[in-house]
Amino acid sequence: MGTRFRAYQLGNEGSSFSYFYNGYFTLIEARLTRDSISSVLAEMFVCGKAEIDCLHITSWDRDHCNPSELEIILRSLKPKRIEIPGCVPHTDSAERSFAIIEFYQSSGARVAQYSPSFMATLETAAPLKRNDVVLWPWEVGDCSNDNSTAKIFRKGRFAVLSLGDLEDPAIARKIMLGNIVRAEVDVMILAHHGAANGFTSREFLEAVKPRVAICSSNYDNQYEHPDQEIRDLLFEMDIDLFTTKTGDVVIESLDETRNTYRVTNYIAGGEEVSSVRDYQSKTW
């Protein structure tokens, strides 16, 4: 089994993704809706997993961490590790989610809170090493969006940059200076659902140079994700955009000798394909 990434259509606002390599399955965001649960279970089956290894939550906001869906994930998918935002929960929903995770931790699960103090304990990442890299938060401020966790999933045959809801251009400038970010990112999950807030700038995209951009969208896309300004910028820079508006987006590694991966955008509710395209990994 190679490397797999999947962006799930939720049927409502929010984000849900997964990344799999070498037997390790990470569910990104604590979301599991009636529309997505069958796809998540199907993806786990393809990967040979009855349970998930890690639940990675980028933000306490409800569209990233829904407490009722979190309970289902913990009860049914039984993650061994949970990675949570480093900021203090700031809403009733976030406080409930934090309490649910604290209770689950008592059963033996490991919980890592990505705070600035935790970040300071991590080793400096080396280029072309196959360990994941946490990029943010080095600071925690008053803006909940800018307290999101940013991370590169890079253990597999293609690297995925996850940015949560980050929106401050100053944070974007700090992230894009990293050598690993500039050299290794193949797939980028657009920050804050592709909002035109200054984070996803031409300067940022020129530094990161992703081959593929991923955006989570509602079925009817009433929030117009991503913003047309971002769509135009991606088009001008020849970065292919795939969204969950029509259905799930699946990325899988192909021929390891050629280091290729395939992006397939499905049509909701079946195996019918909306689009498919192959790419070359940057570093393998």
Side-chain angles (χ1 to χ4, degrees), residues 12 21 29 44 59 91 95 125 175 185 189 216 225 259 278-279:
N12 54 41
Y21 175 70
E29 312 298 12
M44 291 172 61
S59 167
T91 63
E95 289 175 356
I175 288 176
V185 171
I189 302 172
S216 52
H225 294 155
N259 304 321
D278 293 351
Y279 300 86

Side-chain angles (χ1 to χ4, degrees), residues 85-97:
C87 57
V88 176
H90 58 287
T91 63
D92 290 344
S93 172
E95 289 175 356
R96 182 183 166 198
S97 293

